[in-house]
Amino acid sequence: MNHVWLNPLRSVGAIDRKIFGGFAEHMHRCIYGGIFDPGSPLSDDQGLRLDVIDALRRQGMPIIRYPGGNFVSGYRWRDGVGPVGGRPARLDLAWNAIDSNHFGTNEFIRFCRRLDAEPFLVVNCGDGDLREARDWLEYCNGTRPTEPVKLRQAHGFDEPHGVRYWGIGNEVDGPWQIGHKTAAEYARAYAEFAKAMKLVDPYIKLVAAGTSDWTADVVETPRLLLQQAGDLIDYLDIHWYIGLGMESVDFPALMATSELLEDRLKAMEGIIRIMRLNHGIEREIHLAVCEYNVLKFIDHDQGIEAIFNLQDMLVIAQNLNAFLRHAYSVKMANISEIVNMGGPIRTDPDGDGLVLQTTWHALELYSRLSGAIALDAWQESDATFSGNGYSGVPVLDIAATRDRTGQQLTLFLVNRTEDAHSEVTVHLEAGRFDGPARLSVLNGPSLEACNTFDTPNEVRLRQESLLTQDSEVTATLEPHSLTALELAVRR
């Protein structure tokens, strides 16, 4: 039997909707044929795919990171502005591809505005320099009559774009990165980039590239960043892909990665906490998980996109549960990518619409039903499993939220059993339930169930109601399922 205790008065922090964000990179069909598809009957007169925009809007995508990713470490932003016919094609060394630069800064800003999402730009701290970074910021946000501002105006944008979120470099701790830097080299570069960019626009929020190579020293880069530039960091960025480096990727191993996420988040929170204490850093420094997903085998030469199944959806749900449980520190997260490749949306290469993958449905459910405040939910379970080096893992992975009034609660439950139902009793520690609960259940016929163009509804959402009794409600959870339990409360 499983028990969960909820108290609307016991919160862990405000939920920042940026945790439901995404990431778009110039990589195979994410941009071209995904976001941007001129000539398609599904695109507007500026080449933006309206069906993709609609799906992302339904998903509630609040912020999008661009243009990379590994791509940004060799990117020249000036190649992607101005008349399209005059833009140079460039060899992208990150993915060994030719980029036409037909999609660039202004097209991305238009895309975000159509979507009503915040643009989040990452500057080149690989083979790029400080002048290039500050000029790009000035091009986007400047108001005085300087060369970058006049250039933007000449391109048809009199008003500044007002891009608030800026990352300095991508995965610079990784030896695979163009312009890979040691911890000391990046800390020094970040401090100088950040200082100059803050002089151009003091109101921007800056994201430092913390840890992406979890096989190396994960402490040194964040430590030196916080030591040398703690007063210039708003977010410390960490990346992970579930499946990468795992000896086994069977179902129990994938489900037990929830414990790995907890370990990583707690470790990074601890580094920030001790460095702030030791160096007298008064400003809040949040965590941002600017790339996360399930690693699928993708043929990069052929550009084959990952097709996500039901168990992949459950992994994404566990990521979102972790972000909610750590709402006091995790203030941004960006699934990688938003369309095609590893995206929750796949467009048909022949231009015949799109399919919403299993992972899209998980993101949509959390984005739509999460309240404003994360709760400190507590569970006890006599049903456990082992995997990925962890043992005694509860079969349920949970997170809970409430609205600002405390009168509407949502409990998210991932049932990590392959073939058994799980019964859970939810106990309300303050107040009473007000009417029946509403269950939203995301599931499919098997762990391998996928939403494809041939079977677009294999994994789908269904809803039902459930009677409550004063301060308790008992639900039976389907095997390998994600359930959101909406509960009205009165005091």
Side-chain angles (χ1 to χ4, degrees), residues 74 192 201 218 238 255 334 442 447 475:
E192 293 306 312
D201 185 347
V218 299
I238 57 177
M255 293 299 94
N334 308 82
L442 191 55
L447 293 174

Side-chain angles (χ1 to χ4, degrees), residues 327-448:
Y328 53 88
S329 65
V330 179
K331 298 297 183 180
M332 187 192 306
N334 308 82
I335 195 164
S336 171
E337 317 255 333
I338 57 172
V339 58
N340 296 329
M341 290 306 298
I345 300 167
R346 289 183 64 216
T347 62
D348 187 340
D350 297 325
D352 295 330
L354 54 75
V355 65
L356 303 176
Q357 297 223 62
T358 62
T359 52
W360 181 93
H361 289 280
L363 281 159
E364 189 274 338
L365 187 68
Y366 277 84
S367 176
R368 177 166 53 85
L369 296 186
S370 290
I373 306 294
L375 296 181
D376 183 18
W378 179 260
Q379 72 161 317
E380 287 186 357
S381 176
D382 55 10
T384 63
F385 69 99
S386 300
N388 197 38
Y390 294 94
S391 59
V393 182
V395 295
L396 301 184
D397 183 71
I398 69 170
T401 74
R402 67 166 173 84
D403 66 2
R404 295 193 183 279
T405 69
Q407 295 178 317
Q408 185 68 42
L409 313 184
T410 303
L411 175 62
F412 296 99
L413 305 117
V414 177
N415 185 25
R416 301 183 280 194
T417 59
E418 289 191 58
D419 52 19
H421 289 75
S422 293
E423 192 170 88
V424 59
T425 297
V426 180
H427 308 267
L428 185 65
E429 296 183 295
R432 293 183 173 187
F433 291 126
D434 188 11
R438 181 173 179 176
L439 276 75
S440 297
V441 182
L442 191 55
N443 205 355
S446 70
L447 293 174
E448 291 73 34

Side-chain angles (χ1 to χ4, degrees), residues 99-166:
D99 194 291
S100 68
N101 279 301
H102 288 179
F103 187 93
T105 302
N106 296 315
E107 288 78 15
F108 174 67
I109 298 296
R110 283 195 192 106
F111 170 70
C112 289
R113 301 307 183 217
R114 288 292 301 267
L115 182 57
D116 197 25
E118 286 272 4
F120 167 17
L121 294 176
V122 182
V123 303
N124 181 348
C125 194
D127 68 4
D129 58 33
L130 190 156
R131 166 61 69 174
E132 184 179 36
R134 59 156 288 187
D135 281 355
W136 195 12
L137 172 58
E138 200 169 338
Y139 178 90
C140 289
N141 292 6
T143 57
R144 291 184 279 186
T146 62
E147 186 273 339
V149 172
K150 289 180 179 179
L151 185 65
R152 183 194 72 228
Q153 293 169 340
H155 295 158
F157 299 89
D158 291 335
E159 297 300 317
H161 292 318
V163 178
R164 189 181 183 196
Y165 298 93
W166 292 81

